[in-house]
Amino acid sequence: MPVKPVQCAKIHSQRLTSDLLFLSTEEEVEDVLSNILRDRSHIDETLRLASEENAAENYHDGEITSKPMVLFLGPWSVGKSSMINYLLGLKDSPYQLYTGAEPTTSEFTVIMHGKKTRSIEGIVMAADSSRSFSPLEKFGQSFLEKLIGIEMPHKLLERVTFVDTPGIIENRKQQERGYPFNDVCQWFIDRADLIFVTFDPTKLDVGLELEMLFRQLKGRESQIRIILNKADNLATQDLMRVYGALFWSLAPLINVTEPPRVYVSSFWPYDYAPDTSRELFKREEISLLEDLNQVIENRMENKIAFIRQHAIRVRIHALLVDRYVQTFKDKMSYFSDPDLVFKEIVDDPDKFFIFKSILAKTNVSKFDLPNREAYQDFFGVNPIGSFKSLSAQCSYSGGCLLDKIEKAITSELPGLLSSINPGKAPPGLSSCEATGCGDKPKNRYRKN
């Protein structure tokens, strides 16, 4: 059966020689392609996909016990979908993710394990309460139409779930997407165990949408990995310049002492371009796979650590709201206008020492305190009168809610970590200096 030259060109347009365009049979084309396809055996070996121990791992659909989630973010046509196809070996399969030079991925695609290969509509994923995607329904039906799930029996997907996202297009507004794109990204970011932010050496411009994305990634720097993809398109000297330009562009967006790890390679099924640093690219790829494997194996520890981190933030938020409530009650009199009194407090909390009192009495790190402006928005939606003081949340039989949170932070979650790793000593998290405890609500039902 004759093969059209244009079909061959699409297969490997930039790297195949012109002779391939004139091959006459599919057998000849397959013979040439077999010589330029990259060996994938190191993927199975590095990720230990043949290990019986890994195959025996049990996962559930709950937030804590679910598989690790790997999220792919970045501008359009940088190779996110191609990278997933390569890692899963989906080339020429019916369910390979569509790729191209133009913006191709318009959906959020969740690739997960299943007994048989099938696609699942977003409305079905959100309606299934046994899955962890039910909360996505809050983003509306327009978004669910842009959500798709793909299940397939694959060794890697037994251990991890991949999420492919629409590429960032700087001249496109959120309203044009028909759903809150940034809010949806934030939902996946908050649940991702590993976040691959992918770049193309020819697309390093940082626009407003990309700046917004990195603002959403604040606090998740330990999960971020930067991928400089398609690196074999450049000569070594040009690649060094691009690498420096990438750091220069991202430096204002990632305000941390230690920047995220950057992997430089070409993640797609075909062999590296000739006369490029193929040994470097291969080592970078193996390092990325080892990184991915480490995240998979440490999934439970990472989730428990994240829950503890979130519990500390909840506790700080509760203490701050309680301080706002107490200050409001102290400043109110019979003749006071409650709206004016509270506006004065929320507009200038430092005047009433709200944040300083939290730092002075609870040993909370000042770096963990939220922005003061955030509470103007918070109380704009949640009236101050709808909150009870923390002391009113105590009962004789149940104790105080804040005590339970502090117990989880100081002992229960660290104990759970030590039970997962019995060979390791539990972290010393029982002191107030480590956890920020100290200011407890008085339980009026118990003698102190």
Side-chain angles (χ1 to χ4, degrees):
M1 177 180 177
V3 179
K4 295 181 179 179
V6 67
Q7 292 175 331
C8 296
K10 287 182 179 179
I11 294 174
H12 203 184
S13 59
Q14 294 183 345
R15 303 178 192 178
L16 290 181
T17 62
S18 59
D19 293 340
L20 181 61
L21 300 178
F22 300 100
L23 296 177
S24 59
T25 66
E26 289 184 351
E27 290 77 9
E28 291 176 340
V29 172
E30 290 297 325
D31 183 59
V32 173
L33 289 179
S34 64
N35 293 325
I36 64 171
L37 289 178
R38 199 183 306 175
D39 179 26
R40 296 184 64 261
S41 59
H42 63 286
I43 296 180
D44 292 354
E45 180 180 350
T46 306
L47 296 177
R48 304 172 190 173
L49 300 184
S51 171
E52 294 182 2
E53 179 182 351
N54 291 333
E57 290 178 325
N58 292 320
Y59 296 94
H60 305 280
D61 286 324
E63 287 279 352
I64 299 179
T65 55
S66 61
K67 297 183 185 71
M69 179 186 292
V70 177
L71 180 65
F72 290 80
L73 298 170
W76 59 274
S77 193
V78 295
K80 300 186 297 295
S81 302
S82 296
M83 186 173 178
I84 295 175
N85 286 336
Y86 173 58
L87 293 174
L88 295 176
L90 297 181
K91 179 190 173 299
D92 294 335
S93 72
Y95 284 88
Q96 69 172 341
L97 302 181
Y98 181 66
T99 61
E102 73 284 0
T104 54
T105 303
S106 61
E107 299 92 5
F108 282 80
T109 307
V110 182
I111 304 99
M112 48 196 165
H113 182 264
K115 293 182 179 180
K116 60 181 181 179
T117 302
R118 62 169 184 154
S119 61
I120 307 172
E121 297 295 330
I123 54 175
V124 177
M125 294 173 62
D128 189 351
S129 59
S130 65
R131 300 181 184 273
S132 56
F133 301 104
S134 299
L136 289 171
E137 200 163 17
K138 67 182 179 181
F139 297 117
Q141 298 300 310
S142 296
F143 164 69
L144 294 181
E145 293 177 358
K146 295 293 184 180
L147 175 66
I148 187 171
I150 298 177
E151 286 187 346
M152 63 181 67
H154 194 286
K155 283 288 186 179
L156 180 54
L157 294 178
E158 290 179 3
R159 308 182 65 206
V160 69
T161 295
F162 289 133
V163 179
D164 192 16
T165 61
I168 293 173
I169 303 177
E170 292 297 344
N171 60 357
R172 173 177 292 176
K173 298 180 180 179
Q174 281 205 55
Q175 293 83 351
E176 295 177 5
R177 296 184 186 269
Y179 62 89
F181 175 75
N182 288 334
D183 293 341
V184 175
C185 285
Q186 190 67 62
W187 190 92
F188 282 103
I189 288 170
D190 291 341
R191 288 156 180 80
D193 297 86
L194 192 60
I195 302 170
F196 288 141
V197 184
T198 311
F199 290 93
D200 183 319
T202 63
K203 298 186 180 74
L204 297 182
D205 294 337
V206 176
L208 293 178
E209 277 218 5
L210 198 59
E211 288 183 11
M212 174 65 74
L213 175 64
F214 275 94
R215 282 199 293 270
Q216 292 180 272
L217 292 170
K218 186 178 180 181
R220 305 302 298 271
E221 286 82 5
S222 61
Q223 279 91 23
I224 299 174
R225 306 293 186 271
I226 305 296
I227 309 295
L228 185 56
N229 201 13
K230 306 181 183 181
D232 60 341
N233 284 340
L234 299 177
T236 303
Q237 190 174 8
D238 293 334
L239 183 59
M240 293 175 63
R241 292 194 182 100
V242 168
Y243 187 88
L246 177 63
F247 266 101
W248 179 265
S249 300
L250 298 182
L253 307 180
I254 307 176
N255 189 20
V256 292
T257 304
E258 183 177 351
R261 174 73 161 86
V262 178
Y263 293 102
V264 181
S265 189
S266 181
F267 297 93
W268 74 331
Y270 300 104
D271 198 7
Y272 302 111
D275 301 324
T276 55
S277 306
R278 59 173 55 241
E279 292 301 323
L280 169 65
F281 299 152
K282 181 69 174 291
R283 289 196 300 270
E284 286 284 281
E285 182 179 324
I286 292 177
S287 295
L288 180 141
L289 294 173
E290 290 173 343
D291 197 352
L292 173 59
N293 188 66
Q294 191 70 25
V295 169
I296 293 173
E297 292 185 347
N298 293 340
R299 72 195 186 284
M300 193 61 71
E301 294 94 321
N302 293 337
K303 286 183 181 292
I304 294 173
F306 174 73
I307 291 171
R308 184 178 176 279
Q309 182 185 46
H310 186 66
I312 293 174
R313 290 174 178 171
V314 169
R315 178 186 168 279
I316 292 173
H317 175 66
L319 289 171
L320 281 171
V321 171
D322 184 64
R323 190 65 62 187
Y324 273 100
V325 171
Q326 293 298 332
T327 304
F328 176 68
K329 290 181 178 179
D330 293 343
K331 297 299 177 183
M332 278 295 295
S333 66
Y334 184 78
F335 297 102
S336 300
D337 184 329
D339 292 335
L340 293 178
V341 170
F342 188 67
K343 185 178 187 303
E344 182 183 8
I345 296 172
V346 79
D347 285 348
D348 190 7
D350 290 340
K351 178 181 178 181
F352 302 94
F353 305 102
I354 289 178
F355 283 78
K356 288 184 178 180
S357 64
I358 297 296
L359 292 174
K361 295 184 178 181
T362 63
N363 297 318
V364 173
S365 170
K366 65 179 181 180
F367 301 105
D368 289 333
L369 290 178
N371 294 327
R372 289 151 175 75
E373 293 77 13
Y375 282 88
Q376 295 178 352
D377 297 333
F378 176 78
F379 286 114
V381 178
N382 306 280
I384 187 68
S386 63
F387 294 98
K388 298 179 181 179
S389 63
L390 286 177
S391 59
Q393 308 291 334
C394 301
S395 66
Y396 182 81
S397 58
C400 298
L401 294 178
L402 196 64
D403 287 341
K404 295 179 180 179
I405 295 178
E406 290 182 348
K407 183 179 179 181
I409 293 171
T410 57
S411 59
E412 292 178 344
L413 290 173
L416 192 56
L417 274 175
S418 63
S419 67
I420 294 174
N421 294 307
K424 297 182 181 179
L429 301 174
S430 58
S431 69
C432 289
E433 291 182 358
T435 62
C437 59
D439 187 15
K440 298 182 179 181
K442 184 178 180 180
N443 190 344
R444 58 189 174 185
Y445 296 103
R446 295 183 184 273
K447 294 181 178 180
N448 294 301

